[in-house]
Amino acid sequence: MEQYELIKINKEDLVNNPAPRIPVCLCLDTSGSMNTIDGGDGVVNGQIVEIDGKKYRASTTGVSRIDRLNEGIKHLFETIRNDDSARFSVEICMVKFDSKAECILPFANIERQVEIPELVASNDAQGNSFMGEGVNLALDLLESRKQEYKDSGVDYMQPWLILMTDGEANGSQIVQQQAIERIERMVGNKKIVVFPIAIGSDAGIDTLKQFSPERQPLKLQDMKYNEFFQFISNMMIAKSNSGDGEKVRILLSDIKGWAEI
């Protein structure tokens, strides 16, 4: 679809559907380490590969982190579409980051987003993970969507940023600091809700903490992507049904079985 057609459709959606919106950006690590097989029935073929500065045994079968992430995202979209309130309120966009940051799914009515982009882990030998660039792009997209709501007279709730990574950020330090400072200002002014999610044991927890000044990063357990996205979709549904901007609270009982702090 041409860009101008998408813009026209998005504006029509805002006019025809006056429900208060919850804009959500999935900011997702697609660096080479997301090809890692965590558990499952992977069969090692004897080959050693180096990704993100670490060595891994190559696997011929099994399910990778990126495959599980794709499954979880599809589960999220299906759950939101099946709820009568959330499908009119929740709007999702997707940003991926590896050696660059890129929007792969712009904001739109979720019923129009029939084809969800398939994430593919980068084959970049450098193992780049430009997290700061990804977060900056995600914030730009959220700010732009908020302005479109204002221009159309549509109410909205606090935007959500879901940041998922299995490694350390290694892009521009200047860009990363800009993104961190933007997050700090927005969180301090109650302009955004951040969900930082660490995948695997090598995820940069300290870096994730800088992107989330109020909420501790959650460590995803045992490849439980579907459980995480079910939890997120349940919160979106509850938020869309309540129609208010109350602070999102996460209790330890909410994450039991799929994550730890």
Side-chain angles (χ1 to χ4, degrees), residues 76-199:
L76 170 67
F77 275 83
E78 289 171 3
T79 304
I80 297 302
R81 283 197 193 99
N82 289 332
D83 184 86
D84 289 338
S85 177
R87 64 192 172 98
F88 291 115
S89 295
V90 176
E91 293 191 335
I92 300 174
C93 79
M94 291 172 59
V95 167
K96 70 170 188 174
F97 60 91
D98 39 59
S99 59
K100 64 177 181 179
E102 180 183 359
C103 175
I104 57 174
L105 184 69
F107 280 113
N109 183 307
I110 199 166
E111 292 189 318
R112 296 189 187 277
Q113 295 171 322
V114 178
E115 295 185 12
I116 309 305
E118 190 83 6
L119 296 169
V120 177
S122 171
N123 58 6
D124 178 10
Q126 298 292 324
N128 286 322
S129 183
F130 287 11
M131 195 183 306
E133 288 82 350
V135 170
N136 267 323
L137 177 56
L139 296 179
D140 288 345
L141 292 167
L142 288 167
E143 287 295 311
S144 176
R145 194 56 173 161
K146 282 169 53 179
Q147 189 59 52
E148 290 174 347
Y149 296 151
K150 293 174 184 177
D151 292 343
S152 301
V154 173
D155 291 334
Y156 62 90
M157 301 174 216
Q158 276 184 312
W160 291 14
L161 172 65
I162 299 173
L163 175 60
M164 303 184 72
T165 182
D166 74 337
E168 286 282 2
N170 58 7
S172 164
Q173 287 296 311
I174 294 175
V175 173
Q176 181 170 317
Q177 189 58 37
Q178 289 173 342
I180 290 169
E181 291 174 0
R182 289 179 72 185
I183 288 283
E184 288 176 344
R185 288 194 299 270
M186 293 178 72
V187 169
N189 293 323
K190 303 188 184 306
K191 299 293 186 182
I192 198 167
V193 177
V194 183
F195 298 92
I197 307 298
I199 300 168

Side-chain angles (χ1 to χ4, degrees), residues 182-233:
R182 289 179 72 185
I183 288 283
E184 288 176 344
R185 288 194 299 270
M186 293 178 72
V187 169
N189 293 323
K190 303 188 184 306
K191 299 293 186 182
I192 198 167
V193 177
V194 183
F195 298 92
I197 307 298
I199 300 168
S201 59
D202 295 323
I205 297 296
D206 289 340
T207 301
L208 279 174
K209 286 179 180 177
Q210 294 182 69
F211 285 108
S212 182
E214 284 192 354
R215 180 171 284 115
Q216 286 289 320
L218 299 179
K219 301 174 186 176
L220 198 64
Q221 295 177 349
D222 303 324
M223 301 274 280
K224 294 187 176 180
Y225 295 88
N226 277 4
E227 288 84 347
F228 164 66
F229 281 110
Q230 183 63 55
F231 164 76
I232 286 292
S233 61

